[in-house]
Amino acid sequence: AEIKAYVDEVLTKGDAARGELVYRRKEATCLACHAIAGAGGQVGPDMTSIGASAQVDYLVESILIPNKAVKEGYHALKIGTKDEKVVVGIKTREADGKIYLRTSEDKEIAIAEKDIEDRSQSRSMMPDGLADQLTRQELVDLVRFMSEMGKQGPYAPNKARFIRRWQVLEPSKDNVFQLQRASAAKTVENPEAFVWTSAYSKVSGEFPLDTLPKLVVWTGSEPFGIVRAQLDVTTGGKVKLKLEGAMGLSLWLGTTPVEVKNETVLDLKTGLQTLTFSVNLTNRKDGFRVELEDVAGSPARVNIVNGK
């Protein structure tokens, strides 16, 4: 009866736009375990089309009673080793005499079969009580958002190659100190000197500026943010970078400054390439989204680095 009541509220009172905001909260931990279009955690199922394949009652139960109906392939495996260690995770593969598990920390570890004492199927990796931090309306909105994923409308799958997984520069004491000693360009010249954390675009591909940490290097100076993404270039060549408005944006490809335009052709070399944006938060108020397109005749083969 409680599940049915939730389903009725999701269908009549749920708001998918508000639900996406709930989904994106760090404290909700949804993105820590689940990806959208490959961007996010890999512990649980990708959510891109979850609404097209799952009924609302299943979505409600998956949050309130996560171990009741575990999606196929996502039961955890519990392994006990001969040195009395216990490891729990989702099996990703078996190869070369080893079993590979993805743990709740979203790390893949390998266990040699010769070291295994026993193994058994465990429960869902999704912990109980995740909904306890939400109000009833927030849970209703969250489920409404999930139920719209993959259906026609604003949450339909999009074939456009948007950058969805980013790394942002947090306004930590050490990061600000590094910026005080040099310009923002140091973040591309010596990125290892800074601490970066993951952030993600919305389903639409937009990276909202309210999730971009605000950096103020000196008292009274203009606030800005720094965000970067990686491209895995397997075959070098030209690709097109598309933006919706260049206002307030500065861009580097690796350590090389690039003029920001609505459409910019980049000549990429083979290997891991980094795009770094500095966002002037005084001049720019709207979020931005970055899309890659092929250039006719170019041999380039480029993958956007996703994951967590």
Side-chain angles (χ1 to χ4, degrees):
E2 184 180 0
I3 297 297
K4 184 179 183 303
Y6 269 113
V7 171
D8 290 342
E9 288 185 45
V10 168
L11 297 176
T12 59
K13 300 179 181 178
D15 185 291
R18 291 198 306 254
E20 184 174 16
L21 298 179
V22 175
Y23 182 90
R24 290 173 56 80
R25 287 184 195 164
K26 285 186 178 180
E27 59 269 25
T29 70
C30 300
L31 280 163
C33 293
H34 296 277
I36 294 177
Q42 310 295 308
V43 178
D46 190 292
M47 307 298 283
T48 305
S49 299
I50 189 68
S53 61
Q55 298 296 319
V56 174
D57 57 349
Y58 173 85
L59 297 175
V60 173
E61 287 185 343
S62 70
I63 297 173
L64 296 179
I65 320 169
N67 205 43
K68 181 178 180 180
V70 181
K71 185 177 176 65
E72 184 178 355
Y74 287 92
H75 275 99
L77 187 63
K78 182 179 180 180
I79 292 180
T81 63
K82 293 178 180 178
D83 58 357
E84 299 185 346
K85 293 180 180 178
V86 177
V87 182
V88 180
I90 303 296
K91 187 176 79 171
T92 57
R93 56 197 167 100
E94 289 188 50
D96 303 321
K98 297 178 181 178
I99 293 179
Y100 293 81
L101 299 181
R102 188 174 297 280
T103 68
S104 59
E105 291 79 29
D106 207 0
K107 296 179 180 179
E108 189 176 67
I109 61 173
I111 305 170
E113 292 193 27
K114 63 181 179 60
D115 296 331
I116 295 175
E117 183 72 32
D118 59 74
R119 70 179 82 180
S120 61
Q121 182 174 287
S122 185
R123 54 158 291 149
S124 168
M125 294 286 284
M126 187 170 173
D128 295 313
L130 284 180
D132 294 350
Q133 62 184 298
L134 304 178
T135 66
R136 188 178 184 93
Q137 186 61 54
E138 286 172 339
L139 178 57
V140 166
D141 291 338
L142 174 62
V143 175
R144 182 59 183 261
F145 166 66
M146 294 167 59
S147 73
E148 297 295 328
M149 292 291 292
K151 296 178 180 177
Q152 289 297 317
Y155 304 104
N158 195 323
K159 293 183 179 179
R161 298 164 65 196
F162 295 122
I163 295 178
R164 296 183 177 275
R165 179 266 202 175
W166 300 87
Q167 292 174 316
V168 297
L169 200 65
E170 295 286 349
S172 67
K173 184 177 180 179
D174 287 344
N175 279 348
V176 172
F177 176 69
Q178 292 286 348
L179 290 170
Q180 287 174 339
R181 297 178 62 190
S183 68
K186 187 177 180 182
T187 60
V188 299
E189 297 165 358
N190 187 21
E192 293 79 13
F194 297 86
V195 176
W196 304 79
T197 58
S198 295
Y200 306 94
S201 296
K202 298 171 69 174
V203 174
S204 65
E206 178 196 359
F207 185 83
L209 294 191
D210 60 4
T211 62
L212 180 61
K214 182 185 296 185
L215 297 164
V216 179
V217 177
W218 301 105
T219 302
S221 62
E222 289 189 330
F224 67 100
I226 295 179
V227 57
R228 68 178 187 175
Q230 282 80 35
L231 306 176
D232 183 12
V233 185
T234 54
T235 302
K238 294 181 179 180
V239 298
K240 184 184 295 183
L241 194 70
K242 295 181 65 177
L243 287 156
E244 295 178 345
M247 176 67 71
L249 299 178
S250 300
L251 170 63
W252 292 263
L253 171 60
T255 59
T256 303
V258 177
E259 182 183 359
V260 183
K261 298 182 289 186
N262 287 347
E263 295 189 0
T264 302
V265 175
L266 303 176
D267 196 354
L268 301 178
K269 296 180 179 179
T270 302
L272 192 65
Q273 303 295 333
T274 299
L275 296 174
T276 305
F277 288 88
S278 177
V279 186
N280 184 312
L281 296 174
T282 299
N283 294 339
R284 190 177 187 97
K285 302 301 182 182
D286 297 327
F288 63 96
R289 62 181 185 179
V290 181
E291 180 183 355
L292 287 188
E293 277 192 358
D294 294 333
V295 171
S298 171
R301 293 292 180 267
V302 182
N303 293 312
I304 298 170
V305 177
N306 277 319
K308 192 173 180 181

